[in-house]
Amino acid sequence: MLPTTSTEQGFSIEEATVHDLQLAFQRNQLSSKELVEFYLERIQTLNTDLKAVLEVNPDAIAQANIAGQERKDKPHGSFSALHGIPILLKDNIATKDKLNTTAGSYALLGSVVPRDAGVVTRLRKAGAIILGKATLSEWSNFRSNNAPSGWCARGGQGKNPYTKGDPCGSSSGSAISVAANMVTVSLGTETNGSILCPSGYNSVVGIKPTVGLTSRAGVIPISPRQDTVGPICRTVSDAACVLETIVGIDINDEATIEASKYVPEGGYSQFLREDGLSGKRLGVVRSYYNFGNGTFMHKTFQLHLETLRQRGALLVDNLKIDNIVEINMDQSEDIALEIEFKLALNAYLNDLVASPVRSLADVIEYNKNHSEQENLDEYDQDLMLESETTNGFGETLNQALLNLKKLSQDGFEKLMIANKLDAVVIPFSRFSKVLAIGGYPGIIVPAGYEEGVPFGICFGGMKGSEPKLIEIAYSFEQSTKIRKPPPIHK
């Protein structure tokens, strides 16, 4: 049995936004403790099947009680938008508490982190409640090419709540749990597609921020050049609220210093404008719209493009990215990630206070020695083995990075500048590689359901263009209101 979704005071928790919850707190229709208890019960009921949550925080109710007491002590006080709001973190984001941080692998179970991840420090300061850790594709999908999306040894196979099938990854649990109302909001991470893809598959909103906008300190890495931490939520307004809480300079992540110039004064919620599409120049790159004429997808996206026009956007249609074939065929990203992963992971493991493994080589050995537990025979660890053969910084990496820079400049940046675009609009998360290799931001929102299977529409822009992307995505979301909760009550 699912827990009842309404409080005694008649407030409905299911699908409630952060703003709804804050109003309910103020009106004494709901307490943080009741909210946490609702989600814990919901997790207990649904997680056996969906496998979205790896661990719940034993201190979550105590944190909720503290939030409630703070409200009682200051009945007319001013609190952060996330005060008393539960959040789930992808299990590669470190917390210095009773929760583990393992990237879904048994190899890191019992490891002790030196401190909270930078983004967690900001969440705690805002009064958010760390509800637990979400499942993910193990090692953020950088162990093996053969493991399915959403699988990790510790959590098993995560399931899309709409289809009971592929949830996409690697931030699978973060998206599943938000979609299935097992938490209010969550954090995911992306190197290439890992926020955008699961958000689209699970009918939620995901923001992949400009690299460096949010701190990656204390996050189990793949590549400091491409990794980014972002919100996964049910609405654009919630995503903007979480984003403005976690952005900013962190002395433990140098990239945040350079990217801090992109952080707008007054945060991101000011860009939640219903007329946000008015006057925006949006690029339509037709090679991404290769649906057959008359198909459901073709008709749906034509309708969405028309909605964008009606809301005041100027569509610059039939555009081409000159080097798109080269971008898709080029191996430079794979080469760079293999080299960067070994360097970055070794540095992370070395920084741990205590850990069963201290290097990528140790992880590989652990997997061999615990092959049944880690399902090694079926899924192997080819990506890790390839990474371990690399030799760090050198000519190979330099050449790969030069190639990626040139591909971005001659491709996406040239398209955006030549056509004076505010953003591109693309079906699904098909654009994730282009955004990944250049460190550009993207936001995906629900776009429909084909025979019950969700899909999203993505808006991508230049570095630091989050304010515009939020304006665009919010205006589209408000004019379509496509998201509906999964039919799990059946």
Side-chain angles (χ1 to χ4, degrees):
M1 279 286 290
L2 282 173
T4 175
T5 62
S6 293
T7 66
E8 285 175 17
Q9 290 77 18
F11 176 78
S12 179
I13 296 173
E14 193 175 356
E15 293 290 294
T17 65
V18 167
H19 178 68
D20 296 336
L21 295 169
Q22 290 298 350
L23 277 179
F25 291 159
Q26 287 167 26
R27 293 168 179 168
N28 293 319
Q29 294 176 305
L30 178 71
S31 70
S32 285
K33 182 174 183 252
E34 287 173 318
L35 185 59
V36 167
E37 285 173 339
F38 168 82
Y39 287 134
L40 290 177
E41 201 179 332
R42 189 123 171 141
I43 289 166
Q44 199 173 4
T45 309
L46 296 176
N47 203 52
T48 320
D49 183 33
L50 297 180
K51 294 183 167 53
V53 181
L54 208 46
E55 295 182 21
V56 292
N57 187 354
D59 295 329
I61 288 175
Q63 287 179 21
N65 284 332
I66 291 166
Q69 191 58 50
E70 286 169 347
R71 284 185 182 279
K72 271 185 189 163
D73 294 345
K74 290 186 184 172
H76 305 294
S78 173
F79 294 98
S80 137
L82 290 184
H83 185 270
I85 302 291
I87 184 165
L88 277 169
L89 309 173
K90 185 177 180 179
D91 183 48
N92 61 345
I93 299 172
T95 52
K96 184 76 171 163
D97 53 16
K98 291 171 187 166
L99 293 165
N100 285 286
T101 305
T102 68
S105 167
Y106 283 106
L108 276 176
L109 194 59
S111 63
V112 180
V113 300
R115 64 194 78 83
D116 277 337
V119 289
V120 176
T121 301
R122 289 182 177 274
L123 288 169
R124 290 199 204 275
K125 194 178 172 189
I129 293 161
I130 308 302
L131 188 65
K133 295 291 177 78
T135 56
L136 70 167
S137 307
E138 190 173 301
W139 294 104
S140 297
N141 215 14
F142 215 81
R143 184 186 115 178
S144 160
N145 281 310
N146 299 320
S149 266
W151 177 87
C152 64
R154 285 191 61 215
Q157 179 60 57
K159 288 183 193 170
N160 184 319
Y162 292 87
T163 65
K164 297 298 170 74
D166 185 4
C168 200
S170 63
S171 305
S172 45
S174 303
I176 297 164
S177 55
V178 167
N181 282 274
M182 296 158 86
V183 72
T184 313
V185 292
S186 70
L187 284 191
T189 67
E190 175 151 334
T191 309
N192 181 338
S194 288
I195 289 173
L196 297 176
C197 185
S199 297
Y201 270 49
N202 294 279
S203 200
V204 289
V205 175
I207 298 180
K208 172 215 183 283
T210 301
V211 170
L213 196 70
T214 54
S215 170
R216 290 84 44 81
V219 176
I220 299 173
I222 293 177
S223 158
R225 182 184 47 79
Q226 283 186 208
D227 294 348
T228 185
V229 180
I232 297 178
C233 307
R234 287 184 290 272
T235 62
V236 177
S237 63
D238 282 3
C241 172
V242 175
L243 184 64
E244 66 190 13
T245 306
I246 62 172
V247 296
I249 292 175
D250 178 359
I251 54 162
N252 294 311
D253 182 356
E254 276 183 29
T256 59
I257 299 166
E258 169 67 17
S260 66
K261 66 186 179 191
Y262 298 130
V263 178
E265 210 173 310
Y268 292 98
S269 295
Q270 63 185 308
F271 302 106
L272 299 168
R273 295 174 40 213
E274 291 210 16
D275 66 349
L277 277 161
S278 184
K280 295 290 191 296
R281 288 176 63 87
L282 303 182
V284 181
V285 183
R286 281 290 166 183
S287 60
Y288 289 96
Y289 291 76
N290 54 351
F291 313 114
N293 280 349
T295 60
F296 174 78
M297 285 297 180
H298 175 80
K299 288 175 187 168
T300 302
F301 279 98
Q302 285 308 108
L303 203 64
H304 289 334
L305 294 178
E306 189 50 43
T307 298
L308 296 171
R309 271 193 205 96
Q310 286 171 0
R311 294 298 290 235
L314 176 71
L315 295 194
V316 187
D317 207 341
N318 298 308
L319 294 180
K320 283 182 189 165
I321 295 177
D322 291 340
N323 62 352
I324 195 61
V325 174
E326 199 184 338
I327 289 171
N328 290 332
M329 299 291 287
D330 190 86
Q331 296 300 301
S332 297
E333 184 191 21
D334 294 341
I335 292 164
L337 292 180
E338 278 173 14
I339 297 169
E340 290 165 331
F341 177 62
K342 180 180 175 180
L343 294 167
L345 183 63
N346 285 352
Y348 173 88
L349 295 174
N350 214 34
D351 197 36
L352 293 173
V353 175
S355 176
V357 289
R358 286 292 184 182
S359 65
L360 175 57
D362 288 352
V363 175
I364 290 167
E365 197 57 32
Y366 178 94
N367 291 340
K368 283 179 188 168
N369 294 336
H370 302 82
S371 59
E372 198 172 324
Q373 192 182 44
E374 283 290 335
N375 217 346
L376 196 65
D377 292 345
E378 190 175 357
Y379 297 148
D380 68 55
Q381 53 180 339
D382 57 301
L383 288 175
M384 286 187 161
L385 291 168
E386 284 163 25
S387 180
E388 181 55 29
T389 65
T390 63
N391 296 314
F393 295 107
E395 191 48 43
T396 307
L397 180 58
N398 290 341
Q399 192 53 56
L401 297 183
L402 279 172
N403 290 349
L404 291 173
K405 193 173 182 182
K406 191 172 188 316
L407 288 170
S408 292
Q409 286 172 342
D410 296 350
F412 183 58
E413 290 190 15
K414 185 178 167 188
L415 175 86
M416 294 293 289
I417 294 162
N419 294 285
K420 299 188 174 77
L421 300 179
D422 292 302
V424 291
V425 52
I426 306 279
F428 321 139
S429 58
R430 291 176 164 184
F431 210 57
S432 65
K433 180 172 181 176
V434 175
L435 298 177
I437 64 172
Y440 310 114
I443 181 167
I444 194 162
V445 293
Y449 304 86
E450 185 174 33
E451 295 179 357
V453 180
F455 57 92
I457 187 168
C458 182
F459 304 98
M462 297 284 269
K463 287 181 183 179
S465 65
E466 282 83 354
K468 285 179 185 177
L469 297 180
I470 287 166
E471 284 182 330
I472 292 162
Y474 182 74
S475 183
F476 174 81
E477 175 199 56
Q478 292 304 299
S479 61
T480 55
K481 296 198 170 164
I482 286 163
R483 176 180 156 77
K484 55 188 179 190
I488 43 182
H489 57 276
K490 294 175 187 174

